[in-house]
Amino acid sequence: MDKEKIFDAAQKSILEYDANRAKEVVQQALTDRIDLIELMNKGFIPGITKVGELFGEGSLFLPELIQAADAMKAATVIINEAVPDKAAVKSGKIVIGTVEGDIHDIGKTIVVSLMKANGFEVYDLGRDVPTEKFIQKAEEVGADIIGTSALLTTTMEGQKKLELALKKSGLKGKYRTIVGGAPVTQRWADRIGADAYAENAIDGIKKAKLLIGIL
Ligand code: B12
């Protein structure tokens, strides 16, 4: 199938809250050897972004939003599994998750896909992750970076809590931190003392590489 048609179908599957269709589109892309990261960037992400806008302006409600998110999740899970883990060219270890109290994980999961595709060894802690767990995992695996995602203005506090906990335990500097999520800004990162802020997944890769000095 034509590449553009697949991107359109991907976007449509999210806008129509159709998880089965979303999965089919990924399978089709796999068969047609279409770059899955491009499929994400040009198909699924525009779809969920549009859904977010519709929800924001009140023309779509929570039940639809949940279904759209499920469809997005179904696609990202298969993509994540299919994205080759570039074991031979590991560029750094990153522990990543969505902060405590926050169950938004679509954006974080996209970041995970792209990090993996760029040779990072990724430890994905999922969502609603307590501060201590980020630190514990980073210590366990000898991480270079800890990445946190926050989608609610209230849960952004979790990113601040991590900075404070790192300082308190003398680990600030041992791990570089990167923050992301729709309400998060560079200003917030500066304020809490995070080492980097990323606006989106692609920016996240760039910043992560800068943090570990390979860019
Ligand atoms: C989908 C969605 C949901 C889904 C989440 C499903 C899931 N599994 O993730 C569901 C339906 C469950 C949900 C629930 C809720 N939601 Co909601 N949700 C959204 C929505 C529409 C889209 C979020 C999304 O997935 N965007 C697409 C991804 C690709 O973008 P992203 O997350 O920003 O990620 C990108 C970048 O930010 C960056 N990034 C993100 N994280 C990280 C991390 C690192 C390390 C890096 C480098 C980069 C990075 O890279 C990503 C890819 O490019 C947003 C609207 C919006 N404008 O954001 C509301 C929104 C975030 N939700 C909102 C609210 C209020 C809620 C609820 C409280 C609703 C309720 N009344 O119950 C609950 C919260 C429950 C909880 N405790 O967490 C509000 C938040 C308001 C605020 N300012 O705090 C928003 C803004 C909607 C709105 N306009 O009111 N939600």
Side-chain angles (χ1 to χ4, degrees):
M1 207 199 277
D2 187 313
K3 222 165 135 179
E4 296 305 320
K5 273 198 187 133
I6 293 208
F7 297 157
D8 277 355
Q11 184 170 163
K12 214 165 145 219
S13 70
I14 305 301
L15 287 165
E16 292 178 353
Y17 333 124
D18 192 340
N20 286 331
R21 182 74 193 118
K23 285 190 231 168
E24 276 168 25
V25 172
V26 180
Q27 293 303 346
Q28 182 72 48
L30 279 167
T31 310
D32 295 357
R33 295 176 177 274
I34 285 172
D35 180 8
L36 295 179
I37 302 297
E38 200 182 350
L39 173 70
M40 191 53 112
N41 287 329
K42 297 191 177 157
F44 291 112
I45 294 182
I48 193 74
T49 304
K50 181 87 186 129
V51 166
E53 283 165 16
L54 293 171
F55 180 67
E57 68 192 32
S59 37
L60 181 152
F61 300 99
L62 200 56
E64 287 95 7
L65 179 61
I66 293 172
Q67 288 178 56
D70 284 349
M72 185 77 189
K73 209 48 207 296
T76 39
V77 166
I78 314 180
I79 290 181
N80 256 358
E81 278 166 11
V83 167
D85 208 345
K86 291 190 183 166
V89 286
K90 286 278 174 267
S91 50
K93 284 185 194 170
I94 178 162
V95 167
I96 190 169
T98 303
V99 296
E100 190 161 20
D102 199 325
I103 61 162
H104 295 88
D105 64 354
I106 294 172
K108 183 268 306 160
T109 308
I110 292 169
V111 175
V112 169
S113 293
L114 255 78
M115 290 270 179
K116 270 174 66 185
N118 277 272
F120 280 87
E121 197 171 317
V122 186
Y123 295 87
D124 181 2
L125 301 179
R127 54 194 186 175
D128 191 11
V129 181
T131 306
E132 307 72 49
K133 209 168 155 193
F134 283 108
I135 299 179
Q136 220 177 53
K137 195 70 188 177
E139 287 280 273
E140 182 192 320
V141 302
D144 299 294
I145 301 175
I146 302 179
T148 52
S149 181
L151 264 287
L152 298 170
T153 39
T154 47
T155 56
M156 283 164 69
E157 278 301 312
Q159 297 178 324
K160 186 173 164 188
K161 224 176 126 190
L162 176 67
E163 297 299 330
L164 292 172
L166 286 171
K167 274 182 205 132
K168 211 174 148 198
S169 51
L171 295 170
K172 181 73 189 153
K174 182 172 180 188
Y175 308 112
R176 328 253 54 214
T177 52
I178 181 164
V179 290
V184 178
T185 58
Q186 180 65 54
R187 203 159 153 231
W188 172 249
D190 294 341
R191 215 172 102 195
I192 63 172
D195 297 306
Y197 155 72
E199 192 182 349
N200 52 47
I202 292 164
D203 189 30
I205 305 304
K206 196 176 131 202
K207 299 279 171 64
K209 286 185 172 173
L210 280 170
L211 283 179
I212 56 171
I214 56 166
L215 195 73

